[in-house]
Each structure stands twice: as structure tokens, then as C-alpha cells.
Amino acid sequence: MSTDRPSTVEPVSGTVVPRYAGPSTFCRLPELREVGTCDIAILGIPFDSGTSYRPGARFGPQSIRQASRHLRYNFHPDYKTEPFKSLQVADAGDVACNPYSIEEAIGQIERAATDLNAKSEVLISLGGDHTIAVPLLRAVNNRLQGPVALVHFDAHLDTWDTYFGAPYTHGTPFRRAAEEGLFRDDASMHVGIRGPLYSPEDLKNDEELGFKVIHCDELERHGPDHVARRIRNRVGDCPLYLSIDIDVLDPAHAPGTGTPEIAGLSTRELLNILRGLAGLNLAGADVVEVSPAYDHAELTSLAAATIVYELINLVACRPV
């Protein structure tokens, strides 16, 4: 993290300006252009051309920013952190993705994320559909000069080969990432998997890519602390990339998503797992698949905004 910055530009305080007013950035943070460089950049990626069922995640970044107004973000009692005092966090705006060409959009996202590497240490991205994980993993690999431990929270494996012959979709990103060697096959896993599959070979094919799986039934039997321990044991001290599909949550907690699956995690369970990862070396993250047209009372957007705030705190309590 930056140590030569004399002070941080903090978000607009909710005790000074009502939370429903003020900047429309995430948590009413300063824009990146106001601070120049930062420890964490928040990047919106309004892209959903890779979806296979309900579209609309292109509107996710702005809905997450809007819901972040709900948060009281000065002090986190679980981590004992004041993240916006110890870190300079800034909103880097949105990537202008081509909505008609998946390949071109992937290139635009990779270039934007790579450019941000020169201005920020950690990038947290707001999706958008899960296709965006491929260019984001390329960018973090480029910055770290090597693969990361990938922990993927999702109802679905997202390691299928193609959809309708298309290699880049929201159901294929981690197959492509495996082919490119973008994650460590000895330190990566899926969390929250559930529901029927296309084939009995799906889990076998996934395991061959190096993933271990924590099924929702395992969480139900053993609880969040057990899941966090399994993740910690798997990741060790490797640089960690977290990719969080909001449909890892049960539709009762996150109805606003494109491919909901019942019997998922509660928001409490997900937050407790994330808090159990404090001290790991978080190198980047994304929160994807928020589709606000299917949301109710901002339930999904608020869940996503809260998750992003948790991720910021995980960076704040990384080992020095």
C-alpha cells in the first residue's frame, strides 16, 4: 500500500451530507482523477453480452454504487478498521465496453484494468456478467508476473467449454483462464456450487482444471468457519483473487441476478466466510451478475455493495 501519501481523500460523510445526496460514486468516494493514484480502485464494467439466460447485468455497476449509499463505512467493528483513513480508495468510473462484440469488449476491459495497475495497487471490479473475469485475471497476472490463487464464489462452475459454440461467455471464463494458466491449480477452488449439471462429466472435467469444490451442502453441515478454514488452507500465502457471482446467494437474498439457483448461501453466511479470510493477501476481486431489473427493494444491489465494502476491509487488514 502507498506510504508516501500525506493524507487520504475520504468519502463524503453521511453526518455532513445526507446519504441520499452527494456524489454518485461507490460509497461517495472521490473519483480517481481527483487523487491521481490510490491503494484500491473501484472499476465498473457494464457488460452483459456473455449472458445465457436473463440479461441486465450491464446495469449492475450503477445499481451497486447507488446501493452503497446505504452503508455506514467509516469504521468496521469486525475488522477493527477505518479503511478510508488507512487507504486511498477511489472510483475509477466505467469501462466503455462494446456491447456487440464480446472479443472486443474483453480487450477493452483488459486494457483498462492493465492501465489502472499503474495508478492503483488493488482493483475491485463491479460487473457486469462473469465473462469479465478473464480479462481481469489477465491484468492481475500481468501486474504480479504470475498466476494467482483463485477463489470463485458461485452457484455454477463456469468451466464449461463453450455455449452455442461461443468460447467467451459467462459460463466459460474459468475454462479459458485455466487454458491460459491464469490461476494456480494447486491453490484454487469454487465455493457455493449447487443444483443440477449438464452432464455427469462436468465435475470431473472441472477437477482436471485444478479446482476443489465446496458445495452448499458442506456449508450447511459444517458452517462458515469450516469453509473459511478450507479456503485458507488451500490458498496459503499465495496472492488471492476473489471472484464473487452474486448468485452464490440464495434468491431470497439476491433475486436480482440472471441465473438464480435456490438453496444458496445467506448474506450472513457469505459475510462470515469473507471475514474468516482476514489476513490473506488479497490482490484483486470482482463482484458480478447483479441484474437490477429483477431486483426487489435493492436487496441484491445492497448485498453486492456490502460485499465490495467487505473486500475493501480485507485489503485494509492485509499483512504489511
Side-chain angles (χ1 to χ4, degrees):
M1 298 171 199
S2 300
T3 57
D4 56 351
R5 193 182 296 110
S7 63
T8 59
V9 180
E10 296 180 41
V12 174
S13 172
T15 62
V16 177
V17 178
R19 281 177 285 168
Y20 49 79
S24 57
T25 55
F26 183 82
C27 281
R28 304 193 299 175
L29 284 160
E31 295 181 20
L32 180 57
R33 62 186 176 183
E34 297 176 59
V35 298
T37 61
C38 60
D39 299 300
I40 302 175
I42 308 296
L43 179 66
I45 307 180
F47 172 85
D48 66 2
S49 298
T51 53
S52 60
Y53 194 54
R54 303 194 305 202
R58 66 183 62 183
F59 301 108
Q62 281 305 101
S63 73
I64 296 170
R65 288 184 175 107
Q66 174 62 26
S68 73
R69 293 175 178 273
H70 288 276
L71 303 177
R72 295 178 178 87
Y73 40 69
N74 301 85
F75 172 69
H76 198 305
D78 291 277
Y79 300 99
K80 303 296 189 292
T81 51
E82 296 178 277
F84 298 133
K85 289 184 182 295
S86 61
L87 301 171
Q88 181 62 70
V89 188
D91 194 315
D94 288 345
V95 180
C97 305
N98 187 330
Y100 300 110
S101 170
I102 293 177
E103 287 77 11
E104 183 175 346
I106 286 172
Q108 291 167 327
I109 296 163
E110 182 179 353
R111 287 190 294 275
T114 300
D115 289 345
L116 278 174
N117 287 342
K119 301 177 181 179
S120 65
E121 184 181 352
V122 175
L123 178 62
I124 299 176
S125 301
L126 316 177
D129 77 51
H130 225 151
T131 312
I132 71 173
V134 174
L136 293 173
L137 282 167
R138 288 174 181 168
V140 76
N141 272 251
N142 180 64
R143 177 169 65 83
L144 298 175
Q145 296 298 298
V148 292
L150 169 64
V151 176
H152 167 221
F153 288 82
D154 203 321
H156 313 100
L157 297 170
D158 288 0
T159 52
W160 288 280
D161 188 23
T162 64
Y163 267 92
F164 299 95
Y168 291 99
T169 75
H170 74 162
T172 64
F174 303 117
R175 171 64 67 95
R176 302 288 86 80
E179 292 167 350
E180 295 182 30
L182 298 180
F183 62 86
R184 293 185 52 149
D185 60 9
D186 61 345
S188 298
M189 62 198 319
H190 306 293
V191 181
I193 302 301
R194 60 190 186 274
L197 299 168
Y198 288 117
S199 163
E201 297 299 307
D202 288 347
L203 286 170
K204 176 177 178 292
N205 294 337
D206 183 85
E207 186 176 9
E208 290 174 352
L209 300 179
F211 285 106
K212 299 298 183 184
V213 175
I214 299 179
H215 194 279
C216 269
D217 291 347
E218 183 175 345
L219 169 64
E220 177 67 20
R221 288 194 300 269
H222 300 292
D225 289 346
H226 163 84
V227 173
R229 281 194 301 272
R230 276 203 61 190
I231 295 171
R232 297 182 73 94
N233 291 338
R234 179 77 170 156
V235 171
D237 59 1
C238 298
L240 169 63
Y241 188 91
L242 289 174
S243 188
I244 302 176
D245 188 325
I246 204 68
D247 73 24
V248 74
L249 295 174
D250 189 275
H253 296 265
T257 191
T259 49
E261 294 279 353
I262 68 164
L265 277 66
S266 70
T267 48
R268 179 183 293 111
E269 288 168 333
L270 179 54
L271 292 191
N272 283 337
I273 293 170
L274 291 176
R275 290 169 187 173
L277 306 184
L280 294 184
N281 183 16
L282 184 61
D286 61 63
V287 179
V288 300
E289 298 287 354
V290 173
S291 188
Y294 303 100
D295 207 3
H296 174 72
E298 293 186 290
L299 282 175
T300 312
S301 299
L302 180 58
T306 306
I307 291 165
V308 173
Y309 180 62
E310 294 287 322
L311 297 173
I312 291 169
N313 281 275
L314 285 176
V315 176
C317 65
R318 291 189 310 181
V320 178

